[in-house]
């Protein structure tokens, strides 16, 4: 007899429970067998009170076969996803295919440009955005260092993915953030979705995408990176516009501005520091995700880290990790310097 047999008999549910049938082992039983012990969840009615197992689905199933086990639930989720997989793929494939083209084209373009053109170009772009000599020199020295240790191509691959995914995230995130700032209902709907996207473990993003797309398709990791990185720019765009001084809005109304004029000439410029902070966070989160996405064929520095782990090559893994940190620092410093320049421009005006 199992622990909870008496409970179901007392409730008069014996007929409903029916006879126990054999089925796949639960995860707890598999773990117990792997550790050389007895199958978990098979405690009998003689189990001491203090050792009574929690009435989980697996424990209750031991006494009542009609109660599904936790493994039945996970199988149900899997079957439900597999049922909608083909219709979902028919819809998503044509929509997301341009993402694959953009990622592949960007990768080819970044790799095709010679280093003696690309590095000065990146330094010039940094100078144009930040007007900071120190930041521009840091960017040049960092890429030269990565080129000296033969990590330049991997750094360019990572940079190309971040470039595409950040542009798409901003193109999607800013309009969504503006729409959220306009509608309290939309904000209430979006916040739980954004919370879920922000707290979902990064590896979990990859699980359904592996079922939907081939690992050879660039959009597999592109979608995961965009979903993970788009959240900050949405949140901070919404917050920035909502924080615009009400007196300024009233003054704009007094001048007879239309909604579009108020948005693009008053609210967005005043919210620009918050939007730029969101873009900075989006770039950082893209970098974090592109490293994890190396597990599903994303090229770049993450592949080197993965190779270091697989082949137990400590040096390769640590140097690749240092290059990722270097890339994160130079992207962070560049965007923050550009943000500071925006703030100074606004204060001068």
């Amino acid at each position: 007899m199992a622990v909870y047999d008496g409970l179901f008999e007392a409730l008069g549910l014996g007929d409903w429970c029916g006879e126990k049938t054999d089925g796949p082992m639960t995860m707890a039983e598999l773990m117990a067998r792997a550790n050389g012990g007895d199958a978990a969840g098979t405690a009998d009615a003689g189990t001491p009170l203090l050792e009574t197992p929690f009435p989980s689905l697996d424990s209750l199933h031991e006494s009542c076969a009609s109660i599904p086990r936790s493994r039945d639930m996970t199988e149900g989720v899997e079957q439900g996803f597999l049922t909608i997989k083909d219709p979902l793929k028919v819809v998503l494939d044509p929509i997301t295919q341009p993402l694959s083209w953009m990622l592949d084209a960007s990768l080819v373009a970044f790799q095709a440009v010679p280093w003696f053109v690309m590095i000065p170009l990146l330094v010039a772009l940094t100078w144009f955005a930040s007007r900071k000599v120190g930041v521009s020199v840091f960017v040049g020295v960092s890429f030269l260092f990565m080129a000296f240790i033969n990590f330049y191509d991997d750094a360019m691959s990572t940079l190309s993915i971040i470039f595409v995914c950040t542009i798409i995230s901003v193109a999607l995130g800013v309009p969504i953030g503006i729409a959220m700032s306009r509608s309290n209902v939309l904000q209430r709907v979006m916040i739980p979705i954004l919370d879920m996207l922000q707290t979902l473990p990064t590896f979990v993003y990859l699980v359904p995408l592996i079922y939907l797309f081939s690992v050879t398709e660039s959009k597999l990791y592109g979608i995961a990176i965009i979903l993970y990185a788009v959240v900050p720019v949405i949140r901070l765009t919404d917050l920035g516009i909502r924080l615009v001084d009400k007196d300024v809005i009233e003054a704009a109304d007094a001048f007879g501005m239309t909604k579009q004029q108020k948005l693009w000439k008053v609210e967005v410029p005043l919210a620009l520091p918050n939007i730029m902070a969101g873009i900075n966070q989006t770039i950082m989160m893209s970098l974090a995700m592109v490293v994890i996405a190396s597990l599903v064929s994303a090229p770049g520095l993450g592949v080197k880290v993965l190779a270091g782990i697989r082949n137990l090559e400590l040096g390769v893994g640590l140097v690749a990790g240092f290059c990722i940190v270097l890339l994160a620092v130079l992207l962070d410093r560049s965007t923050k310097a550009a943000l500071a320049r925006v703030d100074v421009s606004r204060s001068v005006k």
Side-chain angles (χ1 to χ4, degrees):
M1 290 180 65
V3 175
Y4 294 102
D5 284 359
L7 173 65
F8 289 101
E9 288 174 3
L11 294 174
L13 298 174
D15 293 337
W16 174 72
C17 288
E19 296 294 329
K20 182 183 177 185
T21 57
D22 293 332
M25 285 191 293
T26 64
M27 188 58 68
E29 290 169 341
L30 285 172
M31 293 291 291
R33 177 166 293 186
N35 292 328
D38 294 332
T42 57
D44 56 26
T47 302
L49 179 62
L50 294 178
E51 297 178 12
T52 303
F54 184 81
S56 64
L57 290 176
D58 290 340
S59 296
L60 294 175
H61 178 81
E62 289 296 323
S63 300
C64 179
S66 297
I67 294 179
R69 299 171 305 167
S70 56
R71 195 169 181 181
D72 296 326
M73 185 192 70
T74 57
E75 285 182 352
V77 172
E78 182 178 335
Q79 288 303 319
F81 180 80
L82 293 177
T83 303
I84 63 170
K85 174 190 166 185
D86 290 337
L88 198 60
K89 192 173 170 59
V90 169
V91 175
L92 288 180
D93 253 343
I95 296 174
T96 56
Q97 189 56 38
L99 177 60
S100 281
W101 296 335
M102 292 173 68
L103 286 167
D104 293 340
S106 174
L107 193 60
V108 170
F110 272 72
Q111 297 287 356
V113 178
W115 65 268
F116 53 83
V117 175
M118 180 59 81
I119 294 178
L121 182 62
L122 291 172
V123 172
L125 286 173
T126 306
W127 168 254
F128 177 76
S130 65
R131 292 290 195 275
K132 296 276 188 183
V133 176
V135 176
S136 303
V137 171
F138 176 64
V139 169
V141 171
S142 297
F143 280 106
L144 285 173
F145 169 74
M146 286 187 273
F148 277 126
I149 59 173
N150 287 329
F151 277 69
Y152 173 80
D153 289 338
D154 297 304
M156 284 298 112
S157 299
T158 301
L159 200 62
S160 72
I161 296 170
I162 294 172
F163 175 72
V164 172
C165 292
T166 300
I167 288 176
I168 295 176
S169 296
V170 172
L172 294 174
V174 171
I176 294 173
I178 291 173
M180 282 175 63
S181 69
R182 290 274 187 261
S183 168
N184 292 330
V185 174
L186 180 61
Q187 189 193 45
R188 283 196 290 272
V189 172
M190 286 298 298
I191 282 179
I193 297 173
L194 297 177
D195 289 343
M196 184 195 71
L197 289 174
Q198 205 160 20
T199 55
L200 201 65
T202 48
F203 289 101
V204 178
Y205 280 94
L206 303 175
V207 176
L209 295 173
I210 291 171
Y211 280 91
L212 279 174
F213 306 113
S214 165
V215 291
T216 59
E217 295 179 292
S218 307
K219 60 188 175 186
L220 169 61
Y221 57 82
I223 294 171
I225 295 169
I226 291 169
L227 286 176
Y228 186 66
V230 76
V231 177
V233 72
I234 294 176
R235 284 189 188 278
L236 288 172
T237 301
D238 173 42
L239 179 66
I241 293 179
R242 286 178 181 271
L243 288 178
V244 173
D245 195 333
K246 300 299 179 189
D247 293 339
V248 177
I249 300 297
E250 289 178 6
D253 289 333
F255 279 106
M257 284 186 168
T258 63
K259 286 186 176 179
Q260 290 298 317
Q261 287 173 327
K262 274 193 299 183
L263 175 64
W264 296 112
K265 295 185 177 180
V266 177
E267 292 173 319
V268 170
L270 290 175
L272 202 54
N274 280 304
I275 296 173
M276 288 292 291
I279 294 172
N280 173 272
Q281 290 302 305
T282 292
I283 293 172
M284 293 297 105
M285 292 179 76
S286 296
L287 178 59
M289 193 63 188
V290 76
V291 174
I292 294 170
S294 63
L295 291 169
V296 288
S297 77
L301 293 168
V303 176
K304 295 290 187 185
V305 176
L306 199 60
I309 295 171
R310 281 177 177 165
N311 305 326
L312 295 178
E313 294 181 4
L314 178 65
V316 174
L318 288 179
V319 172
F322 176 73
C323 290
I324 290 169
V325 172
L326 204 57
L327 205 56
V329 172
L330 67 90
L331 288 170
D332 182 61
R333 294 293 179 272
S334 302
T335 51
K336 282 185 176 174
L339 173 60
R341 188 182 165 218
V342 170
D343 282 342
V344 170
S345 302
R346 289 177 62 243
S347 62
V348 168
K349 291 176 182 177

